């Protein structure tokens, strides 16, 4: 297909040009001033901007079921008293519909892929496939007295069944060093080495975690493994350089970290030191929106709180796009021939995109996810002009409603 007439931002560091984009076989084929080929489907996107899609590098998608249940509690009350007891009651159908609602929200906000840590992985994967969205899916792994209740085996089983599928990438999801023993983390790392699966873990989110374990022990367990660490709020200036590793990605979740009172990660220092920082929303029970665009602006503003020269427009854009793609192991994040066709089309005929000369700045500092006109994943539209071409929205909303009623025991 040919996307004609739009302005194009090829990557975080490039300028904005008037270009056409040719898509084929799930990839970006060509950019330039292009004429349609015989039989080619043409989309007129005049008055729009095409840019690389956003990626949500840390979430628990099905937590849309718990959105708004605990807005004003401390982190430990939120987690241990409110969230965990409800999660005990979840089943596959609830997780499917909770995830589907998350994916509709994310697709309508320009997100092409997400990293998930949850349960009922087949249902998460089915939701992502039904929507046509990319997903790196992991099971939340915890152990108690050396027993994990078969969770790791379940995660590995899922990985065996789904590895090699087009949009789904399985991974392993140790929840956190305070819910996993060091021996268990070693077992998980061994499994990751044997299978080549990526790993994601919550690390140094709350201040009290520093008293429970040393991050160096955890990083050394996962040495050489593709690792996404969510939060990384509590690292000191001196410790940050230890996060500079080829295979290590930080997923920065500014809204969740503020809302749960955990603080602000030193992400501009991380970026200066060469740490690869992507963006996440965390689950809808702690954010409460799954809006990477919003996280991008908030991330920039939080770093500017103390020094306005920090976290410029290009760094913010790169975190939200290319770094997220890299964290997910996807050859995306840039509009270049040979890269995957994961794109966002933005309606820029709005007052807050004036003057057009500074469009790139507007994307970070005055635009919003409400301006998303379309989202493409792997060369296919998953959201276009208010519609979701792959899903029956009414059926999903009905299923979601039923799931909420069952989860809260109202039916
Ligand atoms: Ni999380």
């Amino acid at each position: 297909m040919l996307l004609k007439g739009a302005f194009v931002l090829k990557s975080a560091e490039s300028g904005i040009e008037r270009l056409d984009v040719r898509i084929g076989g799930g990839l970006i084929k060509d950019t330039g001033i292009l004429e349609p080929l015989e039989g080619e489907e043409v989309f007129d996107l005049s008055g729009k901007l095409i840019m690389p899609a956003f990626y949500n590098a840390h979430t628990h998608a099905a937590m849309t079921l718990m959105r708004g249940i605990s807005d004003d509690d401390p982190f430990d009350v939120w987690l241990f008293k409110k969230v965990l007891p409800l999660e005990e009651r979840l089943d596959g159908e609830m997780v499917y519909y909770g995830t589907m609602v998350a994916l509709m929200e994310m697709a309508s906000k320009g997100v092409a892929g997400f990293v998930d840590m949850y349960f009922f992985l087949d249902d998460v994967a089915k939701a992502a496939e039904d929507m046509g969205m990319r997903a790196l899916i992991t099971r939340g792994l915890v152990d108690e007295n050396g027993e994990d209740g078969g969770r790791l085996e379940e995660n590995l089983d899922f990985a065996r069944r789904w590895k090699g599928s087009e949009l789904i990438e399985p991974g392993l999801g140790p929840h956190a060093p305070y819910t996993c023993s060091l021996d268990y983390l070693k077992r998980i790392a061994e499994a990751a080495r044997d299978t080549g699966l990526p790993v994601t873990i919550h690390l140094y989110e709350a201040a009290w975690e520093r008293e429970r374990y040393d991050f160096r022990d955890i990083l050394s367990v996962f040495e050489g493994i593709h690792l996404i660490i969510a939060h990384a709020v509590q690292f000191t200036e001196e410790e940050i350089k230890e996060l500079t590793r080829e295979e290590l990605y930080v997923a920065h979740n500014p809204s969740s970290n503020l809302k749960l009172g955990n603080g602000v990660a030193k992400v501009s220092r991380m970026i200066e030191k060469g740490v690869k920082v992507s963006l996440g929303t965390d689950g809808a029970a702690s954010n409460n929106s799954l809006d990477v665009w919003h996280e991008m602006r908030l991330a920039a503003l939080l770093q500017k709180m103390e020094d306005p020269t920090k976290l410029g427009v290009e760094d913010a854009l790169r975190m939200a796009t290319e770094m997220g793609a890299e964290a997910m192991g996807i050859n995306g994040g840039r509009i270049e021939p040979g890269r995957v066709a994961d794109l966002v089309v933005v309606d820029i005929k709005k007052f807050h995109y004036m003057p057009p000369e500074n469009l790139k700045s507007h994307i970070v500092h005055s635009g919003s996810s409400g301006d998303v006109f379309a989202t493409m994943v792997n060369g296919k539209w998953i959201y276009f002009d208010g519609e979701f071409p792959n899903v029956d929205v009414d059926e999903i909303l009905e299923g979601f409603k039923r799931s909420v009623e069952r989860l809260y025991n109202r039916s």
Side-chain angles (χ1 to χ4, degrees):
M1 74 173 78
L2 186 63
L3 312 181
K4 266 198 90 67
F7 290 91
V8 176
L9 174 69
K10 285 185 180 173
S11 66
E13 66 279 4
S14 57
I16 290 176
E17 304 166 79
R18 239 289 292 121
L19 291 172
D20 306 319
V21 181
R22 173 162 287 131
I23 312 288
L27 301 174
I28 292 157
K29 287 290 190 195
D30 202 0
T31 59
I33 301 302
L34 306 171
E35 289 309 316
L37 302 170
E38 176 108 14
E40 193 170 47
E41 194 177 4
V42 179
F43 289 88
D44 177 9
L45 297 176
S46 313
K48 309 275 195 295
L49 171 82
I50 300 173
M51 60 174 280
F54 297 104
Y55 297 94
N56 186 351
H58 179 70
T59 191
H60 315 277
M63 288 181 95
T64 51
L65 295 160
M66 296 160 211
R67 186 173 354 229
I69 60 158
S70 169
D71 285 328
D72 309 307
D73 292 313
F75 177 61
D76 50 342
V77 174
W78 172 86
L79 180 61
F80 297 109
K81 297 257 162 65
K82 301 279 178 83
V83 170
L84 291 180
L86 277 172
E87 286 181 339
E88 299 274 306
R89 299 172 47 83
L90 288 172
D91 60 30
E93 189 185 313
M94 296 179 198
V95 167
Y96 175 80
Y97 286 109
T99 304
M100 275 314 264
V101 163
L103 301 194
M104 293 199 296
E105 178 183 351
M106 288 197 276
S108 72
K109 292 176 172 175
V111 172
F114 66 107
V115 178
D116 202 64
M117 180 197 289
Y118 220 56
F119 336 102
F120 300 101
L121 304 194
D122 289 304
D123 299 281
V124 178
K126 182 164 186 315
E129 271 205 334
D130 288 353
M131 174 57 81
M133 194 182 281
R134 293 183 196 280
L136 196 170
I137 299 173
T138 73
R139 196 202 190 288
L141 302 171
V142 299
D143 76 330
E144 219 170 329
N145 308 319
E147 281 299 321
D148 85 335
R151 292 182 180 93
L152 177 56
E153 204 36 56
E154 190 191 316
N155 195 155
L156 288 167
D157 249 359
F158 167 79
R160 279 188 280 270
R161 281 182 282 113
W162 286 82
K163 203 160 169 64
S165 52
E166 197 172 26
L167 298 171
I168 310 299
E169 179 74 28
L172 299 172
H175 173 261
Y178 59 86
T179 45
C180 295
S181 64
L182 197 58
D183 276 345
Y184 187 45
L185 291 175
K186 285 178 184 164
R187 264 176 64 205
I188 295 166
E190 201 180 291
R193 283 197 186 87
D194 287 349
T195 53
L197 293 173
V199 173
T200 186
I201 187 168
H202 295 98
L203 196 76
Y204 273 16
E205 177 177 10
W208 50 258
E209 288 178 53
R210 292 190 64 96
E211 290 147 32
R212 302 257 194 112
Y213 63 91
D214 186 330
F215 77 92
R216 291 175 190 86
D217 295 335
I218 312 304
L219 292 189
S220 83
V221 166
F222 291 104
E223 180 108 50
I225 293 166
H226 184 114
L227 183 67
I228 304 169
I229 61 175
H231 305 302
V233 178
Q234 311 300 335
F235 284 86
T236 66
E237 292 268 338
E238 297 69 50
E239 289 165 349
I240 281 171
K241 59 180 182 301
E242 300 186 49
L243 297 172
T244 315
R245 265 193 199 177
E246 185 55 35
E247 72 287 1
L248 188 150
Y249 295 84
V250 167
H252 175 42
N253 300 262
S255 291
S256 171
N257 297 153
L258 290 181
K259 191 156 180 288
L260 292 171
N262 289 321
V264 180
K266 295 175 181 61
V267 290
S268 57
R269 288 295 286 160
M270 289 181 194
I271 293 167
E272 284 162 20
K273 294 271 179 206
V275 180
K276 296 190 265 191
V277 185
S278 56
L279 281 176
T281 61
D282 216 346
S286 65
N287 185 317
N288 303 351
S289 78
L290 306 176
D291 187 340
V292 177
W293 194 321
H294 173 80
E295 299 303 307
M296 170 172 72
R297 182 168 188 219
L298 183 60
L301 293 180
L302 284 169
Q303 299 304 303
K304 290 180 183 302
M305 186 161 62
E306 284 170 7
D307 180 349
T309 68
K310 299 295 182 190
L311 217 113
V313 163
E314 293 186 0
D315 280 337
L317 281 167
R318 193 174 298 109
M319 286 165 84
T321 58
E322 195 172 351
M323 280 300 123
E326 259 197 50
M328 289 189 68
I330 298 163
N331 182 26
R334 302 172 76 88
I335 300 180
E336 287 171 358
R339 299 244 177 187
V340 296
D342 291 3
L343 313 170
V344 186
V345 181
V346 182
D347 180 1
I348 50 171
K349 274 201 208 142
K350 298 200 172 180
F351 300 124
H352 51 261
Y353 288 105
M354 303 289 284
E357 287 74 12
N358 305 328
L359 196 49
K360 196 156 120 178
S361 154
H362 305 334
I363 297 167
V364 175
H365 287 297
S366 68
S368 83
S369 62
D371 307 325
V372 169
F373 172 78
T375 305
M376 175 183 282
V377 180
N378 210 31
K380 298 190 179 102
W381 300 115
I382 62 165
Y383 175 74
F384 193 93
D385 197 12
E387 308 277 334
F388 299 89
N390 303 332
V391 297
D392 179 344
V393 176
D394 290 339
E395 192 274 323
I396 289 160
L397 295 180
E398 199 46 52
F400 183 83
K401 191 172 153 230
R402 252 188 351 257
S403 298
V404 167
E405 280 165 3
R406 289 200 299 115
L407 178 62
Y408 297 92
N409 228 345
R410 293 185 198 127
S411 63

